[in-house]
Amino acid sequence: MDTLLQDLRYAVRTLAKSRGFTLVAVLSLALGIGVNTAVFSVVNTFLFRPLPMSDAERVVMLFTRQAKQGIEGAPFSVADLEDVRARSTTLADVAAVARGGFNLAGGDEPERVQGAWITRNLFPLTGERPLLGRNFLPEEDRPGGEPVVILGHGLWQRRFGGRADVLGSTVLVSGRPRVVVGVMGPEFKFPETEELWLPMQADPAESRGERYLLVVARLRPGATVEAADAELAGIARQLAAASPTTNAGWSFGAKRWRDEWVDPELRLSLALMMGAVAFVLLIACANLANLLLARAAGRGREIAVRAALGAGRRRIVRQLLTESLLVALAGGALGTLVATWWIEWTMSRIPEELAYWIVFRVDGRVLAFTLALSAATGIAFGLLPALRASRVDLTRSLKEGARSGDGGPGRSRLRGALAAGEVALALVLLVGAGLMVRSFLAATRADVGVDTEHVLTLRTSLTGSRYEGAAAKNAAFERIAARVEALPGVRAAAWSLGVPGSDAGGVGTTIVAEGQPRAPGEEMAVRYLAATPGVFRAFGAPLLAGRDFTAAEAADSLSTSVILGRSVAARLWPGEDPLGKRVQVVTGERTPWLTVVGIAPDLVYEEPGDGDPQAALHAYLPYARAGWGMMTLVVRTAGDPAALAPAVRREVRAVDPALPLWDVRTMRETQAYSTWNRRLMGEIFGSFGVLALVLATLGVYGVMAYAVAQRTREIGIRMALGAQAGEVLRMVVGRGAAIAAAGVAVGLLGAWGVSRVMQGILFGVRPGDPLTFGGVAALLLATALLASWLPARRAARVDPMTALRSE
């Protein structure tokens, strides 16, 4: 223990004397360890931190799939859910959720709140209890049950002032009075960001084709996910045989709750982020190893004296490693602050609320990771220089005295190899960053089929007794569209269920063409949307053939007109004129035969890069055929659409002041919003790449500057013997160029491999994109040459007599 304390005291004194070295070392490691800590906090949140529910490992998500139609991870119908409950032996409890939005009137401003209809066993299944009040009663969760509601903690505080007497009070939820029977705890927003819950009151007689339930279950003790998955597949086969019209081709499955939300693409992104920050840390370690090698060369006499006085090699190595560990631990402590700042910056770049269980913070597990990483880093960058420095030639070291030396060609080659490694790692990171940035730019420029200039969109929802029935809703939407279209500067206004590029693209269904009989389960899968007349003109995407809906068709809930997307029509009737032909759209039950009156261009409603095979397959129905209350107003303007937003808001409120308005954005803003995750990934990888570039440049500069300093006498002799400044310049820059070229060559091979791994998260850019690879390689070579040129210029100005006199 006394020896250890001596080593610590000596290490502190030594580092304090070399304040410049210590500051550079600690700051470099703080950046490297800090970004690793920050990224690990993200990985910890998604993969390791326990989920906020009791015995979370037994909680699973159930889903449906239709392989022939390319449908995966779809919801359940009420009838299928009841059959699973009755037949499963591996599931102890099964609950259901139907997510939705609700209008809350009253207060200063109408508000749209995310909520859900739930079965009464959901809260017990997740292990949650209301903070105030109670759970739903069995009789409240049956068709015709009492209208009650449970509030989220944030909603209770925000709109009801946190009043304890809120229980028993009446709240107007989407135009219907409901009695508050409970308030949940402050961190509960199941399943993601919900703030109120209503009893499901599901009718088991609903069609099996109406699939909209998110199903959560708990495994029985001893049961496995694999066993539940196999059992569910068997139940699905039984139901397909019993109800082929709705269930043929459909199967059921189960996955752990965490696997439902952490999909393979997210796992790949997390792995790439961890790899990127590991590269940053390796570059920082290589830089510091070079510094330590240079420092050890300058401490040769000191180490020789200690060895002459009896210090063994092990003791010298331990002393030098103690210094490295102190530097690494100091860097880790400062890195924790860097990680905290990075997490706050990352959160500020996310424009939407994340699921309630996604909380990035530096907790105990993250701190333990940081401590272990700091210790490992201290050993990693300190061990090799310590071993090198402890290999002492006493006679030579004591004879040379204070005269500096290069430390031999071995050390020189090692420092060059470390610098080349830094360049290689930086190139891999910069190529990855370049691909991510180009992927984001491609997503923002993706063609979603509409003219995105001069378009404003906003969403609202018509609820309550005032809007009972499709006719009442259609009349209100017509009045709003007419008032908005009359505004100066507005060219067109219409209503659509979704907005291209916004991940709001209608409802999944199937479609069959007249005269083309197909077995149940083999129909074409499409998504259908409700629309009012003029919506394609408002989008700037005129019909390719036929006509738009008329006002009479939009108001008629029995209308038999339909507009198909170009790809749908081409698949149903290749090479034929689709106008006048008839189809059936299955919306729970088969609709009457609908006549094709128009062909629309293929609009892509999903977010760019989602890769949904159904992204361009759509059918459009006249509004009243669906009669949804929640729709999007699409406004095409002559000038800046954002400038018209206040006027559009006023016209909507003039029709109904109680209507909540949300997602008021231009189409350009919608595209930016829908691609925020790609933008964020580009920014993150870009910041890592810039950091790696700076560190690698400093590494090359440090190697060349040290080489020049150690070879001052040699350079002086060369110049005294007639060497010109240009020759010296070429000699030094040539060595730097050789280091950079070797690093770039190795880095290109590594970048090629990494880019192939990244293929799953890229959009609109090839993994081996030559522009990215070539541009990054040129950038690194240029910066390395600049880093070499600065010390080379200094070497070329050496005065031979001064250099020789100093030796």
Side-chain angles (χ1 to χ4, degrees):
M1 181 59 71
D2 289 341
T3 304
L4 177 61
L5 291 175
Q6 288 176 6
D7 287 344
L8 284 172
R9 285 195 294 268
Y10 186 76
V12 170
R13 289 198 303 270
T14 303
L15 293 173
K17 283 197 306 182
S18 306
R19 287 188 293 272
F21 162 80
T22 304
L23 181 63
V24 170
V26 170
L27 287 178
S28 297
L29 283 182
L31 292 172
I33 294 175
V35 293
N36 273 270
T37 298
V39 171
F40 181 75
S41 73
V42 177
V43 174
N44 180 49
T45 296
F46 284 112
L47 300 183
F48 303 126
R49 184 183 297 152
L51 294 168
M53 57 184 70
S54 64
D55 200 6
E57 289 307 304
R58 288 174 51 210
V59 177
V60 296
M61 297 285 296
L62 309 188
F63 60 89
T64 65
R65 62 166 72 93
Q66 227 290 7
K68 288 186 178 180
Q69 296 174 2
I71 299 172
E72 182 71 30
F76 268 76
S77 66
V78 174
D80 287 348
L81 167 67
E82 293 300 328
D83 278 315
V84 167
R85 274 181 174 163
R87 303 184 189 198
S88 175
T89 61
T90 59
L91 304 176
D93 198 6
V94 182
V97 182
R99 303 178 66 197
F102 301 90
N103 294 357
L104 288 187
D108 297 331
E109 184 81 8
E111 185 177 1
R112 185 70 172 178
V113 177
Q114 284 300 115
W117 292 271
I118 63 172
T119 53
R120 66 173 299 275
N121 61 329
L122 177 70
F123 292 156
L125 187 151
T126 59
E128 291 290 333
R129 295 180 179 179
L131 179 68
L132 298 177
R134 60 171 175 82
N135 190 16
F136 298 129
L137 301 176
E139 57 270 22
E140 292 169 345
D141 192 24
R142 295 171 185 156
E146 291 296 317
V148 293
V149 62
I150 294 177
L151 304 178
H153 191 274
L155 181 61
W156 172 52
Q157 294 287 332
R158 186 171 69 249
R159 291 193 72 92
F160 303 97
R163 295 185 291 108
D165 62 354
V166 72
L167 297 178
S169 62
T170 300
V171 179
L172 204 62
V173 180
S174 293
R176 186 181 184 188
R178 291 183 175 271
V179 177
V180 179
V181 297
V183 176
M184 299 304 293
E187 295 183 358
F188 184 80
K189 292 188 175 183
F190 191 91
E192 290 191 41
T193 59
E194 280 63 27
E195 292 192 282
L196 64 81
W197 297 268
L198 311 178
M200 180 79 68
Q201 299 178 349
D203 184 359
E206 281 186 9
S207 167
R208 290 185 185 273
E210 292 283 0
R211 297 179 173 90
Y212 59 90
L213 296 181
L214 175 71
V215 178
V216 189
R218 182 175 290 278
L219 296 171
R220 291 188 185 277
T224 64
V225 178
E226 292 74 20
D229 191 72
E231 180 186 57
L232 288 165
I235 294 174
R237 286 193 294 270
Q238 296 169 12
L239 296 179
S243 304
T245 302
T246 55
N247 285 57
W250 287 87
S251 183
F252 305 156
K255 63 176 73 171
R256 295 193 186 279
W257 170 267
R258 193 188 297 274
D259 293 337
E260 167 66 16
W261 305 107
V262 185
D263 58 22
E265 183 174 323
L266 177 55
R267 289 180 183 271
L268 175 58
S269 298
L270 294 175
L272 288 170
M273 288 174 64
M274 284 301 296
V277 293
F279 278 16
V280 172
L281 185 57
L282 284 173
I283 294 172
C285 286
N287 254 346
L288 291 175
N290 259 329
L291 283 175
L292 285 173
L293 285 169
R295 189 163 177 262
R299 295 176 68 184
R301 179 174 174 78
E302 171 203 336
I303 294 171
V305 170
R306 295 191 67 189
L309 294 175
R313 189 182 184 194
R314 180 179 297 180
R315 179 65 190 277
I316 294 172
V317 169
R318 190 176 68 193
Q319 174 62 53
L320 296 176
L321 278 180
T322 300
E323 296 176 17
S324 300
L325 282 170
L326 278 178
V327 170
L329 291 174
L334 186 57
T336 303
L337 299 179
V338 172
T340 302
W341 171 82
W342 189 89
I343 291 170
E344 291 177 354
W345 171 79
T346 302
M347 294 302 295
S348 71
R349 304 295 293 159
I350 299 176
E352 65 183 32
E353 184 181 5
L354 299 178
Y356 75 102
W357 55 272
I358 301 177
V359 180
F360 306 128
R361 60 172 178 262
V362 179
D363 58 14
R365 183 183 283 105
V366 175
L367 287 175
F369 169 83
T370 305
L371 180 61
L373 183 65
S374 300
T377 299
I379 295 172
F381 76 76
L383 183 59
L384 185 59
L387 291 173
R388 284 272 187 174
S390 64
R391 198 180 301 158
V392 180
D393 182 344
L394 291 179
T395 304
R396 179 185 173 197
S397 297
L398 293 174
K399 185 183 298 182
E400 286 180 352
R403 198 170 95 184
S404 62
D406 189 335
R411 284 183 181 173
S412 178
R413 285 194 296 270
L414 177 59
R415 287 194 291 271
L418 287 171
E422 293 179 49
V423 172
L425 292 172
L427 187 139
V428 174
L429 263 181
L430 283 168
V431 166
L435 292 174
M436 293 300 297
V437 170
R438 294 201 64 196
S439 181
F440 162 67
L441 294 175
T444 60
R445 295 193 295 261
D447 182 11
V448 294
V450 302
D451 178 7
T452 57
E453 295 294 335
H454 307 301
V455 178
L456 177 73
T457 63
L458 63 82
R459 302 178 76 188
T460 191
S461 179
L462 308 181
T463 58
S465 58
R466 179 178 177 182
Y467 300 112
E468 288 292 339
K473 294 185 183 74
N474 182 71
F477 283 136
E478 275 190 339
R479 286 198 302 273
I480 294 172
R483 293 181 69 100
V484 170
E485 203 163 34
L487 288 171
V490 172
R491 291 180 172 174
W495 294 89
S496 171
L497 179 63
V499 176
S502 69
D503 200 23
V507 178
T509 185
T510 56
I511 190 171
V512 294
E514 187 176 27
Q516 299 178 9
R518 300 193 184 197
E522 295 184 355
E523 304 94 340
M524 179 188 294
V526 300
R527 299 182 73 82
Y528 76 96
L529 300 96
T532 63
V535 73
F536 297 103
R537 183 163 58 95
F539 276 137
L543 293 175
L544 303 177
R547 62 171 177 82
D548 200 349
F549 298 128
T550 65
E553 288 170 338
D556 184 5
S557 61
L558 300 178
S559 172
T560 57
S561 296
V562 65
I563 295 174
L564 299 181
R566 181 189 61 80
S567 292
V568 175
R571 291 193 188 187
L572 291 177
W573 304 285
E576 300 180 37
D577 181 3
L579 295 180
K581 297 186 183 297
R582 300 203 304 171
V583 296
Q584 277 186 327
V585 177
V586 183
T587 59
E589 299 293 343
R590 289 186 184 272
T591 63
W593 287 105
L594 307 177
T595 302
V596 179
V597 299
I599 302 300
D602 287 335
L603 308 186
V604 181
Y605 289 85
E606 284 70 16
E607 295 176 3
D610 272 3
D612 185 346
Q614 308 304 125
L617 301 179
H618 292 92
Y620 300 86
L621 302 180
Y623 170 75
R625 168 61 74 175
W628 286 303
M630 185 176 69
M631 295 285 283
T632 299
L633 178 63
V634 183
V635 183
R636 175 159 294 278
T637 66
D640 180 12
L644 276 173
V648 173
R649 284 178 177 270
R650 284 196 302 271
E651 295 306 318
V652 177
R653 290 285 160 75
V655 174
D656 187 346
L659 288 181
L661 304 178
W662 71 97
D663 290 351
V664 182
R665 304 188 184 107
T666 67
M667 278 285 287
R668 286 293 188 188
E669 291 171 337
T670 295
Q671 282 191 304
Y673 181 84
S674 64
T675 56
W676 70 262
N677 53 341
R678 295 185 181 277
R679 170 188 53 77
L680 181 60
M681 290 298 289
E683 290 175 347
I684 289 173
F685 277 87
S687 65
F688 295 158
V690 170
L691 183 57
L693 176 63
V694 171
L695 289 173
T697 303
L698 290 176
V700 173
Y701 174 80
V703 167
M704 301 314 300
Y706 182 77
V708 167
Q710 296 303 311
R711 299 176 68 182
T712 300
R713 185 168 181 268
E714 174 197 338
I715 292 171
I717 293 174
R718 285 174 177 269
M719 297 189 73
L721 294 176
Q724 299 299 311
E727 294 174 337
V728 173
L729 196 68
R730 285 192 295 273
M731 177 185 71
V732 177
V733 172
R735 187 185 177 200
I739 290 172
V744 166
V746 174
L748 285 173
L749 293 176
W752 175 259
V754 170
S755 69
R756 307 304 295 181
V757 175
M758 294 177 64
Q759 187 169 2
I761 61 172
L762 296 179
F763 173 76
V765 59
R766 298 196 308 269
D769 178 56
L771 182 62
T772 304
F773 275 70
V776 169
L779 174 65
L780 267 172
L781 285 172
T783 54
L785 289 175
L786 177 62
S788 303
W789 177 76
L790 293 173
R793 187 180 62 168
R794 188 165 60 249
R797 294 176 178 176
V798 167
D799 181 351
M801 296 307 298
T802 302
L804 294 172
R805 191 181 303 118
S806 67
E807 290 291 329

